[in-house]
Amino acid sequence: MGALGQRRRKNIKQPAHILTLRQIKELGQLLKLNLASAMETFMQPASLFLQTKPALKKIHGYLLEQSLTAVKVPGSLKQPDHARLLLSIIYPGYPVSKAQDLACQKERERSSNKKASDLFAYDLLPSTEFIDRGDEIYRVRLPPTEAFVQKYTIDGQKLAKALGTAAVSAKQSPPRHLFMYLWMSPRRSLTPRCSSLLIQGKETWSHQDDETIDKGFKHIDITDKYDWQSIKSKTDVTIEFALDEDVVGARAQFVSIAYVSKKSSFDLLCQLYIQTAAKLMSDALSNSATLDTTQQEATRLFNQCPPESRGNLVLVESLFLDTGRLFYTSEAMNDDNDDIVCGKEYISLMDPIMLTKIQHPCKSIFCRHRSCFDAKLYFELMTQQQDWACPICHIRLRGSQDLYIDYPLKRMITSHPNEDRFVIDDQGQYLTETQCQGDTPPPSQLPPAPIVIKNDTVLTKDP
């Protein structure tokens, strides 16, 4: 294995969590698991989605008893929603979509053939970091047909019950959508390229749908194609679709509809602050000589920014800075760069993507350079070009999970908002240029060329 491969393997660690070994053991006893099974369960965030409702309530009750959360046990929350809540408490900042996809895969693998036939392979669908798939709310098996046009009716009572009081709108925050999928079998989805899509007799297929399919996705966004909130229990909805001649040889056997939340670059930015704070906290727990005290301090900080407030940038930045102040070490974020640096190093705050001033300094866990790029601008770029790589060293990334906010530089930006660059001395300390009076800075360098946004979109999974 080469040096780069060794560095990658070293830097990829278990998901950050708030639990100690003793607590994992006690949770295992609560769920009647041996230590090995408990370790496997609570080291994998996806395992929460495989637990029963009573098991989730036991886990939540234990967290309250141990003062690890201030969030009360919900009374009437569905199993997937409770799992998402516990995910945000135990594994702060961990992507919900990633946990759900892994859970979907594990459930299929461990289920009997009969049960596995009911588990559709949503985890194999093309997706991006900006999509969080929710629950499947409707599924219908289509009657066998040789007709060019396939038609089915949505049971209004069933769909109205599934929708409940939850709003479906592309304008809410975060936007909640309804995606429709076509399946040839539970494990094989069909590319839904249609020449026509009639909902209640009205043509709804658009050029935007063609663009979505051209990018490799396998869903049809039906959010704005009908007023779904107006469905009453006695109102059925007829959907009629004709597949394009490119896929006319295939026949859909199933149609399913699922909730999907679309995340913005701002949402990913907030998630990255939480994700980095959680890693600092988790590493501090792993290396602490006073485990209970460290955990109490970490819990106090995270309780000040509960799950429902983690879309507030001011709060998550404050949480991150407070967590860094308590727990940051250079080893925690792999900042112990093994390159030899003689004398002082100047760190520019010019972002290599948009050539503007960095506000949210970010780099990957594989990067060996000290320079950063702006996380928000990077995520905005990724909404158009899903090509995850460091814009400075161009090392390939798996996604936002490989990124982190640079605490020392963020702290300096917050403390000295008018500075355009900082100095790292030979001891690794960040200084302002004023603090280095008497030293002659190196000649200014030309700024790097901006990144050119491509038109093609590369997905995180093969279509």
Side-chain angles (χ1 to χ4, degrees), residues 377-401:
L377 297 177
Y378 182 75
F379 289 142
E380 287 174 356
L381 175 65
M382 290 301 103
T383 61
Q384 306 169 59
Q385 174 185 320
Q386 289 283 310
D387 190 10
W388 294 85
C390 172
I392 297 173
C393 66
H394 308 295
I395 193 168
R396 305 295 300 179
L397 308 175
R398 296 170 297 172
S400 62
Q401 69 200 74

Side-chain angles (χ1 to χ4, degrees), residues 111-132:
S111 299
S112 63
N113 291 337
K114 184 176 180 180
K115 186 177 179 182
S117 65
D118 293 329
L119 302 174
F120 280 47
Y122 285 99
D123 57 300
L124 300 180
L125 294 171
S127 187
T128 76
E129 293 266 348
F130 299 90
I131 293 178
D132 267 346

Side-chain angles (χ1 to χ4, degrees), residues 10 43 80 85 99 101 172 176 180 182 185 244 250 261 264 273 306 316 326 375 381 407 451 459:
K10 171 188 173 184
M43 287 298 175
L85 176 60
D101 284 350
Q172 70 182 105
R176 200 173 194 190
M180 184 175 84
L182 306 181
S185 71
D244 192 79
S261 293
S264 65
Y273 272 107
V316 297
L326 282 176
L381 175 65
Y407 171 71
I451 290 179
L459 302 177

Side-chain angles (χ1 to χ4, degrees), residues 219-406:
H219 65 259
I220 303 173
D221 190 341
I222 60 173
T223 310
D224 297 325
K225 296 185 183 296
Y226 187 76
D227 184 7
W228 302 103
Q229 297 301 139
S230 68
I231 291 181
K232 305 299 181 183
S233 60
K234 295 183 179 180
T235 305
D236 292 338
V237 179
T238 301
I239 297 182
E240 190 174 306
F241 62 90
L243 294 175
D244 192 79
E245 59 183 16
D246 293 341
V247 288
V248 74
R251 284 289 180 267
Q253 292 192 34
F254 302 91
V255 174
S256 67
I257 298 175
Y259 274 133
V260 170
S261 293
K262 286 192 173 182
K263 295 189 288 187
S264 65
S265 57
F266 180 85
D267 296 326
L268 277 189
L269 176 64
C270 291
Q271 178 181 300
L272 184 60
Y273 272 107
I274 294 292
Q275 175 182 306
T276 312
K279 186 178 188 308
L280 290 170
M281 174 268 298
S282 185
D283 286 347
L285 286 175
S286 299
N287 301 314
S288 176
T290 55
L291 198 57
D292 291 340
T293 302
T294 302
Q295 190 181 53
Q296 289 171 8
E297 291 174 338
T299 303
R300 176 181 58 81
L301 290 178
F302 277 86
N303 282 342
Q304 292 174 2
C305 187
E308 66 271 14
S309 300
R310 291 177 187 172
N312 185 318
L313 183 59
V314 174
L315 287 180
V316 297
E317 282 184 302
S318 178
L319 169 64
F320 170 73
L321 289 169
D322 289 342
T323 306
R325 208 160 20 245
L326 282 176
F327 302 132
Y328 174 80
T329 62
S330 60
E331 292 81 7
M333 301 310 301
N334 302 300
D335 287 343
D336 52 335
N337 198 309
D338 53 7
D339 289 347
I340 298 175
V341 178
C342 299
K344 298 180 175 62
E345 183 179 357
Y346 287 77
I347 303 298
S348 171
L349 294 185
M350 180 179 288
D351 177 68
I353 300 172
M354 296 299 292
L355 305 184
T356 54
K357 187 173 179 179
I358 293 173
Q359 298 297 327
H360 311 286
C362 171
K363 56 186 173 181
S364 87
I365 59 177
F366 308 122
C367 293
R368 305 184 68 178
H369 48 79
R370 296 184 185 271
S371 300
C372 291
F373 50 91
D374 190 279
K376 187 172 187 298
L377 297 177
Y378 182 75
F379 289 142
E380 287 174 356
L381 175 65
M382 290 301 103
T383 61
Q384 306 169 59
Q385 174 185 320
Q386 289 283 310
D387 190 10
W388 294 85
C390 172
I392 297 173
C393 66
H394 308 295
I395 193 168
R396 305 295 300 179
L397 308 175
R398 296 170 297 172
S400 62
Q401 69 200 74
D402 290 339
L403 299 175
Y404 69 95
I405 299 292
D406 188 287

Side-chain angles (χ1 to χ4, degrees), residues 71-265:
V71 180
K72 302 300 181 184
V73 179
S76 58
L77 211 57
K78 293 181 179 179
Q79 186 270 351
D81 293 329
H82 200 175
R84 292 184 193 101
L85 176 60
L86 289 177
L87 181 77
S88 66
I89 295 172
I90 301 175
Y91 312 93
Y94 192 86
V96 174
S97 56
K98 183 180 179 183
Q100 289 185 143
D101 284 350
L102 289 173
C104 184
Q105 178 185 345
K106 285 178 176 292
E107 191 170 17
R108 279 203 323 275
E109 291 172 350
R110 75 179 191 180
S111 299
S112 63
N113 291 337
K114 184 176 180 180
K115 186 177 179 182
S117 65
D118 293 329
L119 302 174
F120 280 47
Y122 285 99
D123 57 300
L124 300 180
L125 294 171
S127 187
T128 76
E129 293 266 348
F130 299 90
I131 293 178
D132 267 346
R133 177 180 53 81
D135 304 329
E136 179 185 278
I137 62 171
Y138 193 83
R139 184 194 301 175
V140 61
R141 187 178 189 119
L142 301 178
T145 179
E146 294 298 325
F148 180 70
V149 176
Q150 291 185 268
K151 179 179 179 179
Y152 67 97
T153 300
I154 294 179
D155 186 321
Q157 183 176 3
K158 183 177 179 181
L159 187 60
K161 183 179 179 181
L163 290 172
T165 58
V168 179
S169 172
K171 296 180 180 179
Q172 70 182 105
S173 181
R176 200 173 194 190
H177 293 244
L178 286 180
F179 280 9
M180 184 175 84
Y181 302 93
L182 306 181
W183 303 84
M184 290 187 285
S185 71
R187 295 201 179 193
R188 189 177 179 189
S189 60
L190 179 67
T191 301
R193 187 182 294 281
C194 298
S195 57
S196 175
L197 178 65
L198 300 177
I199 300 181
Q200 293 293 71
K202 180 182 177 181
E203 181 60 61
T204 63
W205 187 260
S206 66
H207 177 65
Q208 185 175 357
D209 296 315
D210 282 323
E211 290 182 341
T212 299
I213 302 304
D214 287 340
K215 291 177 180 178
F217 292 105
K218 292 191 174 183
H219 65 259
I220 303 173
D221 190 341
I222 60 173
T223 310
D224 297 325
K225 296 185 183 296
Y226 187 76
D227 184 7
W228 302 103
Q229 297 301 139
S230 68
I231 291 181
K232 305 299 181 183
S233 60
K234 295 183 179 180
T235 305
D236 292 338
V237 179
T238 301
I239 297 182
E240 190 174 306
F241 62 90
L243 294 175
D244 192 79
E245 59 183 16
D246 293 341
V247 288
V248 74
R251 284 289 180 267
Q253 292 192 34
F254 302 91
V255 174
S256 67
I257 298 175
Y259 274 133
V260 170
S261 293
K262 286 192 173 182
K263 295 189 288 187
S264 65
S265 57

